[in-house]
């Protein structure tokens, strides 16, 4: 039940803030609810126990939850960081603002969605929560709804993550159909998959979802744009929690998919992203943009780590994740404080902030050191473990090369962050001092970073308890601060040196380099999205929906082509039925009246001829002994006559000469005549087809026999309408209603 | 004098109140006969709609206060039909499952009444609403041409 409380508590709190429009005590309520979530995860979550409530059992979809080591680890990260973020947001947000309760509600909703994704035991349920996180992310990036940056950023983030999420759904559905179950606990006990078309397809789809959610190259561009969000959101969603979902999913499917031949692509994608993100971080001057690119790089690092693993399993992946959460959360929070103090995000306009925010400065230095991998921090241990892992890999030179490039770029970025914000003081204005409570959350995270970095043993042992069969090796190596003079240490020293060299090179260029145009994928994306309306405009133009005279022939030609093909395919079963001579005069009169309608130029003659056709058709129904149809047809004739009269009320006084000029061009008239004849012929043939004995279906007999026992009525026509085929009738009246709304819209436009 | 579609015709004006009720009685008859003989909600709806459209033709806008709003009518009908379809699911029965009551009433004989009649009533309202609505809007729109 602990899982349910953990998910339900924030969810219910968020909903009640929204529904009851709470104004006071919102922060306290949210914070307590987040703490309750952490506590319920900590106290009472039995591992690997499944809780299931049926939802759509015949589609194999249930409300099913499970906690294993993987999801519990991520759950702790999400809920604990959530508490920190809530506390930090209290200081960050304006003291009095109407939108604050909305903010806390979104954060709690996000927390619930994240925990739901992590603990779902059903893939479809996982997907629903997964997309919910995307929706909340959209709401939070655009939280400042009046800024252009917020609008564009939220649109981009949502489109990328939601679209790739749909691709992922395709992948998990494929996986589900392969195994006839969506139950994760059952899927994870299956043997690893072999490579074939379907498994590779499922793998690729899932990988696309992961790349979108975790901002992997070339879909990384939404993350820097998502920085339009308030800083607590960036720290939580776009660094610690939501973007880690891709990592989580890769870990979740690791036991199942890591045996595939193409699994190495995960590594390629991840490590490419790692290098690209780290290099791009050097080329930007927006403080949060820099952090976003380093996040992209680090996400690539985490995903690439899984990609390097073999079928046997991996170790210490949780440690890498924990390392990133600690230092990046702290750095983002510091960035928020700095932005508050300087009122700008441009790192070139900052400096000399140490005395105004000593705790934040210390936190920033420790966290940046962790990012750079300086001994004594978790970052150092993480990098050593990664290097050791890479050196044992067959492709060691390439991998280590990539790591050296990205890690030394990160060293340079770390130097830049610390030195440019806190030491340089060319600025005239004194920096505004910031409150202690504001600086406390990043400081605590930094303290944790350094204490875990110095004494890693207890934490790694604790993480090892959360190991998952199939994902992790049975006996992980212990982590020590001092490994002796190993190759890894030498490479680490080189990385630090390279980083300092890169920093000084960029310093001489005054960081003037900007992003090359080829990497500005976000601008291209926006151009594409803005171009979409033009595509549909072009399509409308080609189909000529602006002119009914031009549009209807297009539709009819298509209809004729389709139906003629169908008829041709079914022609073997077609038999032309003969009719008795009695009908011949009737048909001739009907035909003559129809020709008069199309030939006559006077509207009242047209109208009379139309009525003649209608009445004769109802007479034909009468001859075929269909009283329901006769009644309906007669009434319809009356209604349409009245409607036409209403419509033609002022027609006689209108000038119809221009109209005639369009209609009476001989070529067009010929085309229209051919189309009319064609449609008439096709409909005639279709009726013949329906009446052909070979295709006649005895279903009519069923209705006649069962109308009394099953529907309690003698009139089979009516019982079909309201009972046997009531669902069809429901659809029809819905369509009628929609058509009425359409007519209303069209005609009311003319009134104004 | 407000413009009406037909030039003011005394005969039509005097007889229509009677004709109106005759048409609607016919509609009622057709509606209830529907389950066992030709008829039903759709046909009855068209008949009632004709009576209302004629009322409009004779009286012009003046009658609009007296007849129900067509959109509302159609919406109520749609709601009735969907409601009839959905209610059985609350009692663990299939969507659209009908329920019939067979009553024996002295003097009148056996009466069979069931939820399909309610569903048909929904169809009836939708058809009236749509037909009357479209006729009204056509007329209003053509006046502003």
């Amino acid at each position: 039940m602990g899982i349910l409380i953990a998910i339900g508590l924030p969810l219910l709190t968020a909903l009640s803030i929204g529904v009851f429009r709470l104004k006071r005590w919102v922060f306290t309520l949210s914070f307590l609810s987040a703490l309750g979530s952490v506590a319920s995860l900590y106290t009472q979550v039995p591992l690997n126990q499944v809780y299931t409530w049926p939802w759509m059992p015949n589609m194999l979809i249930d409300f099913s939850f499970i906690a294993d080591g993987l999801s519990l680890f991520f759950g702790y990260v999400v809920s604990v960081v959530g508490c920190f973020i809530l506390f930090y947001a209290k200081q960050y947000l304006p003291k009095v603002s109407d939108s604050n309760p909305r903010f806390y509600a979104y954060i709690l909703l996000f927390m619930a969605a994240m925990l739901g994704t992590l603990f779902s035991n059903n893939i479809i349920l996982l997907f629903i929560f997964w997309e919910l996180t995307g929706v909340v992310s959209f709401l939070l990036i655009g939280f400042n709804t009046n800024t252009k940056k917020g609008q564009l950023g939220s649109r981009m983030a949502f489109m990328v993550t939601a679209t790739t999420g749909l691709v992922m759904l395709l992948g998990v559905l494929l996986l589900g159909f392969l195994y006839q179950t969506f139950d994760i606990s059952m899927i994870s006990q299956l043997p690893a998959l072999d490579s074939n078309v379907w498994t590779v397809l499922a793998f690729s789809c899932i990988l696309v979802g992961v790349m979108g959610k975790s901002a992997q190259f070339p879909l990384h561009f939404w993350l820097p744009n998502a920085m339009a969000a308030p800083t607590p959101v960036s720290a939580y969603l776009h660094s610690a929690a939501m973007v880690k979902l891709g990592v989580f999913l890769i870990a979740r499917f690791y036991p199942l998919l890591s045996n595939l031949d193409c699994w190495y692509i995960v590594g390629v994608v991840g490590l490419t992203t790692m290098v690209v993100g780290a290099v791009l971080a050097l080329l930007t001057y927006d403080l949060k943009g820099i952090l976003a690119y380093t996040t992209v790089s680090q996400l690539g690092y985490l995903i690439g780590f899984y990609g390097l693993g073999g079928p046997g399993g991996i170790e210490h992946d949780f440690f890498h994740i924990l390392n990133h959460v600690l230092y990046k959360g702290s750095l983002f929070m510091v960035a928020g404080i700095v932005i508050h103090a300087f009122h700008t995000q441009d790192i070139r306009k900052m400096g000399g902030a140490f005395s105004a925010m000593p705790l934040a400065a210390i936190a920033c230095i420790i966290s940046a050191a962790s990012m750079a991998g300086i001994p004594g921090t978790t970052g150092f241990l993480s990098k050593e473990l990664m290097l050791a892992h890479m050196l044992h890999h067959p492709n060691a030179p390439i991998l280590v090369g990539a790591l050296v490039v990205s890690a030394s770029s990160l060293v340079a970025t770390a130097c830049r962050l610390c030195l440019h914000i806190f030491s340089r003081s060319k600025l005239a204005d004194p920096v505004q001092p910031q409150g202690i409570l504001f600086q406390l959350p990043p400081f605590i995270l930094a303290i944790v970073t350094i204490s875990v970095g110095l004494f890693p043993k207890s934490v790694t042992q604790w993480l090892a308890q959360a190991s998952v069969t199939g994902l992790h090796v049975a006996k992980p190596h212990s982590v020590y601060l001092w490994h002796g003079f190993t190759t890894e240490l030498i490479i680490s020293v080189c990385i630090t040196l390279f980083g300092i060299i890169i920093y000084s090179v960029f310093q001489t260029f005054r960081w003037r380099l900007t992003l090359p145009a080829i990497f500005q994928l976000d601008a291209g994306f926006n151009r594409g999205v803005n171009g979409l309306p033009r595509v549909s405009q072009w399509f409308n133009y080609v189909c000529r929906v602006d002119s009914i005279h031009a549009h209807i022939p297009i539709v009819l030609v298509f209809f004729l082509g389709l139906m003629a093909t169908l008829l041709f395919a079914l022609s073997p079963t077609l038999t032309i039925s003969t009719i008795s001579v009695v009908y011949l005069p009737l048909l001739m009169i009907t035909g003559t009246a129809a020709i008069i309608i199309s030939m006559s130029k006077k509207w009242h003659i047209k109208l009379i001829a139309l009525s003649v056709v209608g009445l004769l058709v109802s007479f034909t129904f009468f001859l075929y002994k269909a009283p329901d149809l006769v009644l309906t047809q007669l009434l319809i004739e009356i209604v349409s006559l009245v409607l036409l009269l209403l419509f033609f009320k002022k027609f006689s006084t209108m000038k119809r000469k221009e109209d005639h000029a369009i209609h009476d061009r001989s070529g067009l008239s010929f085309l229209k005549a051919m189309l009319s004849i064609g449609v008439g012929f096709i409909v005639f043939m279709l009726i013949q087809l329906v009446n052909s004995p070979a295709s006649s279906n005895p279903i009519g007999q069923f209705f006649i026999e069962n109308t009394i026992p099953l529907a309690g009525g003698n009139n089979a026509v009516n019982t079909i309408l309201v009972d046997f085929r009531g669902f069809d009738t429901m659809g029809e009246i819905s369509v009628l209603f929609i058509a009425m709304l359409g007519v209303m819209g069209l005609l009311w436009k003319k009134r104004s | 004098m407000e413009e009406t579609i037909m030039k003011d015709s005394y005969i039509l004006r005097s007889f229509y109140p009677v004709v109106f009720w005759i048409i609607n009685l016919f509609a009622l008859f057709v509606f209830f006969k529907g389950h066992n003989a030709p008829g039903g909600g759709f046909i009855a709806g068209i008949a009632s709609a004709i009576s209302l459209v004629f009322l409009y033709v004779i009286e012009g806008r003046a009658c609009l206060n007296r007849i129900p709003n067509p959109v509302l009518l159609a919406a109520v009908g749609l709601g009735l039909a969907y409601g009839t379809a959905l209610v059985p699911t609350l009692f663990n029965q299939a969507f659209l499952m009908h329920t019939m009551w067979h009553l024996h009433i002295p003097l009148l004989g056996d009466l069979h009444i069931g939820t399909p009649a309610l569903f048909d009533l929904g169809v009836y309202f939708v058809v009236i609403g749509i037909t009357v609505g479209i006729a009204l809007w056509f007329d209003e729109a053509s006046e502003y041409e």
Side-chain angles (χ1 to χ4, degrees):
Chain A
M1 292 310 283
I3 311 172
L4 286 184
I5 298 173
I7 301 170
L9 202 58
L11 186 68
L12 289 179
T13 316
L15 290 180
S16 51
I17 291 174
V19 171
F20 301 118
R21 306 206 168 271
L22 300 183
K23 293 262 187 292
R24 295 180 192 171
W25 301 102
V26 176
F27 167 73
T28 320
L29 191 64
S30 318
F31 195 66
L32 285 178
S33 143
L35 280 181
S37 201
V38 177
S40 62
L41 282 186
Y42 186 73
T43 51
Q44 40 178 343
V45 175
L47 282 185
N48 295 324
Q49 177 154 359
V50 181
Y51 302 91
T52 304
W53 289 266
W55 179 16
M56 288 182 257
N58 44 2
M59 296 172 82
L60 304 173
I61 301 171
D62 297 309
F63 283 112
S64 178
F65 296 95
I66 189 175
D68 61 354
L70 178 68
S71 52
L72 204 57
F73 166 72
F74 272 94
Y76 277 133
V77 167
V78 167
S79 51
V80 172
V81 176
C83 291
F84 272 91
I85 293 294
L86 277 170
F87 185 80
Y88 174 76
K90 171 83 169 98
Q91 327 295 327
Y92 179 89
L93 292 173
K95 287 277 170 283
V96 182
S97 168
D98 289 342
S99 55
N100 283 358
R102 191 159 60 96
F103 185 87
Y104 293 126
Y106 285 163
I107 292 278
L108 285 179
L109 186 61
F110 170 76
M111 198 164 147
M114 269 305 284
L115 293 173
T117 318
L118 300 173
F119 292 116
S120 293
N121 189 32
N122 189 292
I123 304 184
I124 306 298
L125 194 64
L126 184 147
F127 171 78
I128 292 169
F129 280 119
W130 170 286
E131 289 293 32
L132 185 61
T133 63
V135 172
V136 184
S137 153
F138 170 80
L139 292 170
L140 280 170
I141 296 170
F143 188 75
N144 298 318
T145 40
N146 49 358
T147 59
K148 188 84 186 157
K149 237 175 112 187
Q151 292 165 0
L152 284 181
S154 53
R155 185 179 77 174
M156 184 183 294
F158 186 68
M159 286 180 80
V160 172
T161 52
T163 319
T164 51
L166 286 179
V167 177
M168 182 196 93
L169 176 66
L170 205 66
V172 292
L173 282 180
L174 209 56
L175 219 55
F177 288 130
L178 284 179
Y179 290 114
Q180 287 301 309
T181 176
F182 291 124
D183 196 304
I184 288 172
S185 62
M186 277 159 85
I187 289 180
S188 56
Q189 279 165 11
L190 295 164
L193 293 177
D194 291 325
S195 298
N196 63 44
V197 182
W198 299 113
T199 51
V200 169
L201 194 63
F203 162 76
S204 332
C205 290
I206 292 173
L207 183 61
V208 169
V210 166
M211 285 167 70
K213 203 71 167 180
S214 283
Q216 297 297 292
F217 181 80
L219 299 174
H220 65 284
F221 54 86
W222 70 264
L223 193 58
N225 281 288
M227 292 299 140
T231 309
V233 175
S234 310
Y236 192 25
L237 272 69
H238 305 121
S239 161
M242 189 183 87
V243 288
K244 293 278 196 305
L245 274 183
V247 183
F248 167 75
L249 200 72
I250 283 287
R252 182 52 99 201
F253 286 116
Y254 185 91
L256 198 62
L257 297 174
S258 61
N259 205 24
L260 295 182
D261 295 338
C262 50
W263 179 255
Y264 73 94
I265 294 175
V266 176
V268 173
V269 167
L271 296 180
T272 314
T273 312
M274 175 179 87
V275 174
V276 170
V279 173
L280 293 186
L282 293 172
L283 302 180
T284 178
Y285 49 81
D286 181 291
L287 178 56
K288 286 174 76 181
I290 295 173
L291 293 181
Y293 279 120
T294 58
T295 306
V296 168
S297 168
Q298 192 69 24
L299 289 170
Y301 176 93
L302 296 174
I303 286 180
F305 179 71
Y306 285 106
L308 297 181
I314 43 167
E315 51 179 352
H316 302 310
D317 52 336
F318 291 164
F319 190 78
H320 295 303
I321 295 166
L322 185 68
N323 161 47
H324 180 231
V325 168
L326 287 173
Y327 83 72
K328 194 54 65 67
S330 164
L331 277 181
F332 260 112
M333 291 192 211
V334 171
I337 300 169
V338 170
I339 291 167
H340 242 247
F342 286 100
H343 303 294
T344 176
Q345 298 197 11
D346 193 338
I347 195 171
R348 296 171 301 187
K349 295 177 186 155
M350 295 175 180
F354 190 91
S355 56
M357 44 184 101
L359 284 184
I362 294 169
C364 180
I365 290 164
I366 294 172
S367 305
S370 179
M371 179 163 83
I374 305 297
T377 59
T378 50
F380 172 73
L381 297 172
S382 163
K383 196 169 59 183
E384 297 282 289
L385 290 171
M386 187 68 157
L387 276 171
H389 190 75
M390 283 176 165
L391 285 170
H392 289 105
H393 200 272
N395 291 327
I398 306 171
L399 302 177
V400 172
L403 188 68
V404 167
V405 172
S406 78
S408 43
S409 304
L410 287 181
V411 171
T413 306
C415 292
R416 185 184 177 196
L417 285 177
C418 292
L419 295 174
H420 287 214
I421 297 173
F422 295 109
S423 81
R424 260 188 347 170
S425 63
K426 276 186 283 179
L427 298 166
D429 301 338
V431 185
Q432 229 177 319
Q434 301 292 319
I436 289 289
L437 282 180
F438 200 7
Q439 303 175 39
L440 202 56
F443 186 69
I444 295 173
L445 286 185
I447 295 296
V448 176
T449 305
I450 204 156
S451 40
V452 175
L454 289 174
F455 310 102
K457 199 165 178 189
S458 56
V459 172
T460 45
Q461 274 171 357
W462 180 69
L463 290 177
Q465 288 173 5
S467 68
V468 176
T469 356
L471 173 60
H472 297 116
V473 293
K475 287 204 170 182
H477 299 83
S478 300
V479 183
Y480 301 105
L481 181 55
W482 179 250
H483 283 265
F485 286 103
T486 51
T487 329
E488 293 96 306
L489 189 66
I490 296 165
I491 297 175
S492 260
V493 173
C494 292
I495 286 174
T496 315
L497 286 178
F498 282 144
I500 294 168
I501 292 170
I502 292 175
Y503 174 77
S504 37
V505 168
F506 270 83
Q507 190 68 14
T508 53
F509 283 115
R510 303 199 163 274
W511 303 89
R512 258 190 226 126
L513 296 172
T514 49
L515 220 55
I518 196 166
F519 282 115
Q520 289 179 353
L521 299 175
D522 43 356
F525 180 85
N526 276 334
R527 266 201 302 280
V529 173
N530 292 334
L532 274 180
R534 240 172 293 146
V535 173
S536 66
Q537 216 171 21
W538 171 82
F539 193 70
N540 275 351
Y541 176 74
V542 168
C543 295
R544 296 303 309 267
V545 287
D546 54 333
S547 154
I548 284 182
H549 293 301
H551 184 60
I552 285 180
I554 295 175
V555 174
L556 286 184
V557 165
F558 179 75
F559 169 77
L560 282 180
L562 197 70
M563 285 298 156
T565 323
L566 185 72
L567 272 182
F568 186 75
L570 293 174
S571 54
T573 63
L574 188 68
T575 48
I576 306 291
S577 55
T578 51
I579 53 170
S580 88
V581 192
V582 185
Y583 296 112
L584 214 55
L586 192 65
L587 291 181
M588 280 169 68
I589 304 171
T590 318
T592 318
I595 290 170
I596 291 173
I597 299 174
S598 55
M599 303 297 270
S600 166
K601 293 211 179 344
K602 294 201 167 105
W603 66 267
H604 52 273
I605 294 180
K606 278 176 190 273
L607 218 52
I608 291 168
L610 192 64
S611 302
V612 169
V613 172
L615 291 175
L616 287 177
V617 167
S618 24
F619 187 61
T620 319
F621 289 149
F622 174 71
L623 290 181
Y624 275 99
K625 302 188 187 78
D628 279 281
L629 287 183
V630 177
L631 210 53
T632 314
Q633 180 72 23
L634 275 175
L635 290 169
I636 289 283
E637 279 305 311
I638 299 172
V639 169
S640 47
L641 187 69
V642 176
L643 272 181
L644 281 173
L645 274 176
L646 284 173
F647 192 60
F648 279 120
K649 190 173 71 176
K650 298 200 168 169
F651 225 51
S652 50
T653 56
M654 275 181 179
K655 289 176 187 150
R656 297 190 65 224
K657 278 186 184 154
E658 308 101 68
D659 240 17
H660 270 289
I662 305 171
H663 286 258
D664 289 355
R665 266 179 298 173
S666 55
L668 214 58
S669 297
F670 180 71
L671 177 73
K672 284 179 180 172
M674 292 318 288
L675 278 177
S676 313
I677 293 169
V679 171
F681 177 73
I682 291 286
V683 170
F684 174 74
M685 293 308 276
L686 284 178
I687 290 169
Q688 292 299 335
L689 192 69
V690 171
N691 285 332
S692 295
S695 66
S696 79
N697 205 322
I699 190 139
Q701 204 55 41
F702 167 83
F703 287 127
I704 290 170
E705 281 165 8
N706 287 293
T707 176
I708 293 174
L710 287 182
N714 290 323
N715 181 4
V717 176
N718 190 272
T719 51
I720 288 172
L721 280 178
V722 299
D723 212 324
F724 289 119
R725 293 284 163 86
F727 194 62
D728 289 358
T729 310
M730 247 172 72
E732 279 156 21
I733 57 175
S734 310
V735 168
L736 276 180
F737 191 74
I738 293 165
M740 179 182 76
L741 293 181
V743 171
M744 192 168 92
L746 282 174
L747 293 181
W748 275 16
K749 215 164 87 183
K750 291 192 173 170
R751 263 171 127 189
S752 55
Chain B
M1 174 83 200
E2 199 182 337
E3 191 198 2
T4 53
I5 293 148
M6 315 238 162
K7 293 285 174 240
D8 198 22
S9 153
Y10 181 73
I11 300 174
L12 209 54
R13 260 184 181 286
S14 330
F15 272 91
Y16 196 65
V18 181
V19 176
F20 180 83
W21 292 112
I22 292 174
I23 297 178
N24 277 310
L25 268 179
F26 170 73
L28 202 69
F29 172 71
V30 164
F31 180 84
F32 279 110
K33 242 174 81 105
H35 223 52
N36 294 316
F42 186 80
I43 299 174
I46 295 175
S48 287
I50 288 173
S51 76
L52 288 174
V53 170
F54 264 111
L55 193 69
Y56 176 73
V57 165
I58 291 160
E59 295 192 4
R61 292 266 171 70
C63 75
L64 287 184
N65 319 330
R66 286 196 279 140
I67 63 177
N69 180 351
V71 182
L72 196 66
L73 203 60
V76 166
L78 206 61
L80 201 59
Y82 274 85
T84 320
L86 280 173
V87 166
T89 59
L90 297 180
F91 298 100
N92 234 348
Q93 288 201 319
F95 186 72
L96 265 172
M97 185 68 201
H98 70 216
T99 312
M100 301 288 263
W101 293 277
H102 303 280
L103 304 173
H104 184 79
I105 298 173
L107 299 179
L108 285 176
D110 287 328
L111 184 69
H112 305 285
I113 187 113
T115 51
L118 272 181
F119 184 82
D120 225 13
L121 193 66
V123 175
Y124 172 75
F125 282 145
V126 171
V127 169
I128 299 179
I130 289 164
T131 317
V132 174
I134 290 178
L136 292 185
W137 298 323
F138 258 128
D139 184 55
E140 288 181 359
S142 67
E143 271 176 25
Y144 286 82
E145 285 284 315

